[in-house]
Amino acid sequence: MSDVLELSAARAAELVRARELSPGELVSTYRERAERDDLGAFLWLPDEPPAGDDGAATPSDAPLGGVPVAVKDIFCVEGTPTTAASRILAGYLPPYTATAVERLASAGAPMLGKTNMDEFAMGSSNENSAYGSVRNPWDRERVPGGSSGGSAAAVAAGLAPWSIGTDTGGSIRQPAALCGLVGLKPTYGAVSRYGMIAFASSFDQCGPIARDVTDAALLFGALVAGGRDPCDATSIDLPEAVELPTAERLDGMRVGVVPELSEAAAIEPGVKDVFGAALGRIEELGGAVEEVSLPHSEHGLSAYYVLAPAEASANLARYDGVRFGLRAEEGDLLSLYERTRAEGFGPEVKRRIMLGTYALSSGYYEAYYGRAQRVRTKIAEDFAAAFERVDVVVTPTSPSAAFRLGERTDDPLAMYMADYCTVPMSLAGLPAISIPAGLSDGLPIGFQITGRAFSESRILAAAYALERAIDFDLAPARRAPGFARAEVAAR
Ligand code: GLN
């Protein structure tokens, strides 16, 4: 069993295809561990473990080999509780399945369970879930990051081989960084958003969270494999097929370092050290490191925290107590709406709805929404100018390592700072990957590589070469003491 746990998902799929590992054993290993989840990573597991033979192909021949995937609870799955970690969706059973989940199942990755998250994906620590926080397996007193915190904690602790999350302003990359994992936010439009509960529709993207770059590439390839999804008007065909990375060198690659995002005062010294060491590795691998400026990127957070709440306030208007989930007992229609929303939404979601509604109100629309849109354009132009000179742009993923549970819950602005390095790419719709680059005080630090739109194969290739040079060890997260105790108790 522990041998199975040591396998990457790609390797496990390979062994299944070679008939050297039974998909049943693989599924039951992870199922048993997920059942003993003591991190709060899972919100729902099926009564029966997935058979491992969902989908079109038999698992033994399917590209993903029957390796089960943990799914953030923001993805609708037909007949399966789907809450987006909100009380307002308690009891909601979607009548259809998200394209992402369907594509993975037919490629041979059945759903292992649904993972915890910040309510409606609003947060950076997973502490905004209506169903409790998630603990970071590296240090159980610390957050796993958010909003895809359950998807990250589950993979890091070895409760799931890999997972999918969503990223609006950093929610795949930042929890991946804080848990020592690889997280890819694809180019906007690359992966279908159909069946993904909307937060800020012009930002939201689905992507993989995995143990290593190869796993992330494999899962991403399956997510985009069917091409454009007619059910999502913003989805498009990837111009090139996703390549599994193999190159071990970075010869000739021009790598841009952004002083605004890597030297800012908000970046902790330990993060700067690990980041600097990774730049050294890039040079050893033959990459040419030079400075590129993204002069407007420091305004990214301000623009994001106007635009994302504005879109959220419109998207969340549909939760009225009539159509989905929770319904407050009340006499007339207006108070039914009011009571349902008052009882159903948590404080951060209410804050965003109020901010967004205010920013869109007629007297202030130009001053806030209009101005934030112009900043968004400037940031996209900054990236375009940078990519005239370099092939990829690199930054730390998060200004800090995993922080303590409760440390930032009373200070929304401190919480929002966690997105400082990830939000500019989201505003520009660009693909970005976070890989673990080392430890600071025993906690993982992420390194972010951003490329031009639809250059996923290129950033995966760069990440792969760097990953090999860094040789990060994820095993300590799987041996986390709390989990070890649970394992002993279960014997
Ligand atoms: N932390 C950011 C927010 O709260 C990003 C969340 C996300 O990417 N879903 O909005």
Side-chain angles (χ1 to χ4, degrees):
M1 171 167 157
S2 57
D3 292 350
V4 170
L5 219 55
E6 299 306 315
L7 301 171
S8 71
R11 182 73 188 128
E14 219 170 78
L15 291 175
V16 169
R17 283 197 303 270
R19 307 291 192 272
E20 285 169 33
L21 175 65
S22 95
E25 184 190 347
L26 188 63
V27 166
S28 61
T29 299
Y30 281 104
R31 164 72 187 200
E32 278 164 30
R33 289 177 68 86
E35 274 171 3
R36 288 186 281 133
D37 165 27
D38 59 354
L39 299 168
F42 282 93
L43 289 181
W44 179 87
L45 292 172
D47 291 336
E48 294 291 319
D53 59 358
D54 305 30
T58 62
S60 311
D61 298 314
L64 304 185
V67 182
V69 63
V71 172
K72 186 178 184 179
D73 199 28
I74 200 164
F75 292 92
C76 290
V77 178
E78 187 180 345
T80 294
T82 299
T83 65
S86 182
R87 254 195 310 277
I88 212 159
L89 281 174
Y92 173 57
L93 299 175
Y96 67 104
T97 298
T99 301
V101 176
E102 217 154 64
R103 286 191 176 170
L104 294 184
S106 51
M111 182 172 74
L112 181 64
K114 302 295 277 303
T115 55
N116 206 345
M117 54 181 284
D118 284 298
E119 183 176 2
F120 287 108
M122 298 174 189
S124 306
S125 68
N126 216 119
E127 291 166 297
N128 296 334
S129 166
Y131 305 105
S133 312
V134 178
R135 291 174 183 274
N136 187 320
W138 288 86
D139 176 346
R140 301 164 58 84
E141 300 311 314
R142 291 177 188 267
V143 304
S147 65
S148 311
S151 286
V155 176
L159 312 181
W162 49 12
S163 63
I164 52 172
T166 59
D167 192 311
T168 304
S171 280
I172 288 174
R173 291 162 283 162
Q174 186 257 14
L178 270 45
C179 290
L181 299 169
V182 175
L184 171 69
K185 181 200 92 74
T187 309
Y188 182 77
V191 180
S192 169
R193 287 182 297 114
Y194 182 68
M196 207 171 97
I197 294 173
F199 161 15
S201 308
S202 76
F203 296 81
D204 300 342
Q205 262 298 284
C206 159
I209 297 179
R211 279 193 203 178
D212 65 25
V213 174
T214 306
D215 282 4
L218 193 61
L219 207 54
F220 174 62
L223 286 167
V224 300
R228 196 186 95 81
D229 177 8
C231 297
D232 171 5
T234 60
S235 100
I236 26 183
D237 276 323
L238 225 58
E240 298 160 13
V242 181
E243 288 164 37
L244 285 189
T246 51
E248 293 176 19
R249 303 258 326 153
L250 295 173
D251 294 308
M253 184 172 271
R254 293 165 305 163
V255 177
V257 178
V258 185
E260 293 88 348
L261 296 179
S262 55
E263 287 163 23
I267 316 282
E268 282 181 358
V271 173
K272 287 182 180 159
D273 290 348
V274 172
F275 181 72
L279 293 181
R281 299 278 188 184
I282 290 179
E283 283 177 330
E284 282 162 27
L285 294 171
V289 176
E290 62 175 278
E291 222 172 79
V292 287
S293 174
L294 298 175
H296 300 89
S297 57
E298 51 192 329
H299 303 297
L301 267 190
S302 316
Y304 173 82
Y305 278 99
V306 169
L307 297 173
E311 294 188 26
S313 70
N315 274 327
L316 271 55
R318 72 187 59 155
Y319 303 107
D320 55 8
V322 177
R323 288 172 289 184
F324 313 95
L326 184 79
R327 175 175 305 169
E329 295 298 326
E330 202 45 64
D332 67 89
L333 187 62
L334 188 60
S335 47
L336 179 142
Y337 292 160
E338 289 174 349
R339 291 276 299 274
T340 301
R341 290 169 69 83
E343 289 169 22
F345 288 135
E348 181 63 24
V349 174
K350 286 178 182 160
R351 180 180 297 122
R352 306 273 179 120
I353 291 172
M354 287 193 287
L355 272 173
T357 311
Y358 182 80
L360 292 175
S361 58
S362 62
Y364 296 101
Y365 181 91
E366 253 316 302
Y368 292 107
Y369 186 79
R371 183 177 294 197
Q373 283 289 43
R374 283 194 289 279
V375 173
R376 186 175 195 175
T377 302
K378 290 281 180 208
I379 289 177
E381 289 169 357
D382 283 356
F383 274 109
F387 287 129
E388 301 262 305
R389 289 177 41 202
V390 295
D391 301 309
V392 296
V393 159
V394 298
T395 67
T397 308
S398 160
S400 73
F403 39 94
R404 289 184 187 284
L405 286 155
E407 191 179 305
R408 299 191 189 176
T409 39
D410 294 332
D411 186 351
L413 292 184
M415 190 69 89
Y416 297 170
M417 269 314 289
D419 308 321
Y420 184 72
C421 302
T422 47
V423 143
M425 299 74 190
S426 301
L427 288 158
L430 299 174
I433 191 168
S434 179
I435 65 165
L439 297 176
S440 169
D441 286 334
L443 296 169
I445 302 295
F447 184 89
Q448 180 175 227
I449 306 174
T450 305
R452 299 181 183 90
F454 303 111
S455 69
E456 275 83 351
S457 291
R458 172 170 254 173
I459 61 173
L460 284 161
Y464 177 81
L466 189 56
E467 169 184 69
R468 291 180 63 95
I470 291 172
D471 196 20
F472 182 81
D473 183 13
L474 182 58
R478 287 201 292 276
R479 290 196 297 266
F483 192 79
R485 270 201 301 279
E487 216 162 28
V488 171
R491 272 197 209 118

